[in-house]
Amino acid sequence: RLLVLAEHEPAVVERAACAALDDEASPVRLVALELLRAAPTRTGVAALVERLALETRPRVRWALVEALQALSGMRHRFDQRP
């Protein structure tokens, strides 16, 4: 469903992806963070940082760190501060 949304208005994609970061299924969270990474906005990046503080799955945590590193150019780790 999220991938179909990628063809819509960017604001619609952003809202859906931000909401999907809280989904109980880690594959859904992974798709959501990739959508936010592909079309970065201030709101989307803030949602990624917030999710990093809450995420418990190692694979998703690493994907969040990698996305934040790519978007910011900084060497973020698991701490949400740079």
Side-chain angles (χ1 to χ4, degrees), residues 17-18 20-22 26 28-37 44-72 74-80:
C18 286
L21 286 175
D22 292 328
S26 61
V28 172
R29 295 193 305 277
L30 285 168
V31 170
L33 76 88
E34 287 303 325
L35 286 172
L36 292 171
R37 179 181 181 171
V45 172
L48 294 174
V49 171
E50 184 178 314
R51 186 65 213 177
L52 179 59
L54 303 172
E55 185 59 56
T56 59
R57 300 293 302 239
R59 182 173 177 218
V60 180
R61 285 178 58 85
W62 276 113
L64 285 162
V65 167
E66 290 170 358
L68 290 169
Q69 287 175 341
L71 292 170
S72 70
M74 300 179 82
R75 296 194 174 271
H76 292 278
R77 296 287 187 185
F78 291 124
D79 185 353
Q80 61 267 29

